[in-house]
Amino acid sequence: NVRKMAPGMGKDQVRELLGWPHFSEGLWGVREWNYLFHLRTGKTPSDYVTCQYMVRYDDAELATGAWWKTDECAALANPPAVAPIPAVPTLMPPQKVSLSADGLFRFDGAGADDLLPDGRERIVQLAADIRANFKVLHYITVTGHTDRLGTDTYNQALSQARANTVRDLLVQAGIDRAKVRAVGMGKRQPVVSDCAGTVATPALVKCLQPNRRVEVEVQGGN
């Protein structure tokens, strides 16, 4: 109840909280009410100190403030707030998701207009998963890859354009753009390399499909 005391309270309000003062100080025009309280300092009832507490009033008999006689008593009655220990983010290993380019883009496409409906939905869902699972986000790397069909220059440009498109859609879906970078690797990092042939037959295109991909690597914590 002492902690509920506030300036501006009338004597009746103070009496409801603290009771009558513990010293006889007259009936009319009294400017001070004094109390004695036993404040515990330990776990047992005998571990306590006796503290004097004074309430002062103005001419309108409204409390102007209240004071403990000693700093020790003030500290016992109003212990300092303990600041919570800040949570330290738990750093998780980098998480990598590989998205098939054939499932993201129309054939030979790389721009936003070339995104397939299912591909667009998958990227948006990926952004939602990242926001939900990474409370602290350090970086996201979007890397585009192609198969070995076509020239080096063409494949490099295609892989970069696809990475840029996926990056832009992640940003549109709520990911901080400053945390996302896009990289094109062309055909330099294939995941399958035992597909025979150099002519783009249907069989070869199918065999090389795993190489046509966009990888999203996320580093962060929770």
Side-chain angles (χ1 to χ4, degrees):
N1 285 349
V2 167
R3 294 173 186 161
K4 296 179 182 178
M5 287 290 299
M9 286 185 170
K11 289 186 175 181
D12 288 340
Q13 292 173 294
V14 175
R15 195 180 298 114
E16 288 180 5
L17 288 176
L18 306 181
W20 288 93
H22 298 159
F23 296 85
S24 178
E25 297 166 343
L27 297 177
W28 295 279
V30 177
R31 297 290 186 89
E32 295 181 0
W33 279 5
N34 284 278
Y35 297 84
L36 289 179
F37 294 118
H38 300 309
L39 303 183
R40 292 190 177 186
T41 59
K43 295 182 179 180
T44 67
S46 61
D47 296 330
Y48 68 87
V49 294
T50 300
C51 295
Q52 185 174 344
Y53 183 75
M54 179 179 64
V55 182
R56 285 181 177 170
Y57 298 93
D58 59 16
D59 292 341
E61 297 190 342
L62 299 177
T64 59
W67 294 265
W68 292 97
K69 188 172 184 179
T70 68
D71 291 340
E72 178 189 11
C73 292
L76 288 171
N78 299 284
V82 178
I85 299 175
V88 178
T90 301
L91 188 65
M92 302 191 312
Q95 307 292 308
K96 183 180 289 187
V97 176
S98 183
L99 306 173
S100 170
D102 291 1
L104 296 179
F105 297 95
R106 295 185 179 90
F107 178 74
D108 226 20
D113 293 340
D114 298 317
L115 279 169
L116 299 170
D118 288 347
R120 180 182 297 272
E121 183 178 344
R122 187 168 184 189
I123 297 170
V124 171
Q125 182 59 53
L126 177 60
D129 292 342
I130 293 172
R131 295 199 312 272
N133 295 310
F134 290 85
K135 303 305 180 185
V136 177
L137 185 61
H138 294 309
Y139 68 81
I140 298 176
T141 302
V142 182
T143 306
H145 300 270
T146 68
D147 60 26
R148 58 179 169 81
L149 300 174
T151 66
D152 291 350
T153 301
Y154 178 82
N155 284 328
Q156 177 61 37
L158 180 63
S159 65
Q160 184 67 59
R162 287 177 171 176
N164 291 344
T165 298
V166 173
R167 175 202 59 198
D168 293 345
L169 188 51
L170 288 173
V171 172
Q172 292 174 24
I175 301 298
D176 182 0
R177 187 180 186 87
K179 302 292 180 66
V180 190
R181 65 172 183 151
V183 180
M185 293 302 296
K187 61 183 181 181
R188 296 193 296 275
Q189 294 181 347
V191 292
V192 295
S193 56
D194 57 351
C195 300
T198 57
V199 178
T201 63
L204 181 57
V205 170
K206 182 178 180 180
C207 182
L208 294 173
Q209 186 273 329
N211 294 339
R212 300 187 296 272
R213 67 199 189 277
V214 177
E215 294 177 338
V216 180
E217 182 177 293
V218 185
Q219 174 68 71
N222 55 24

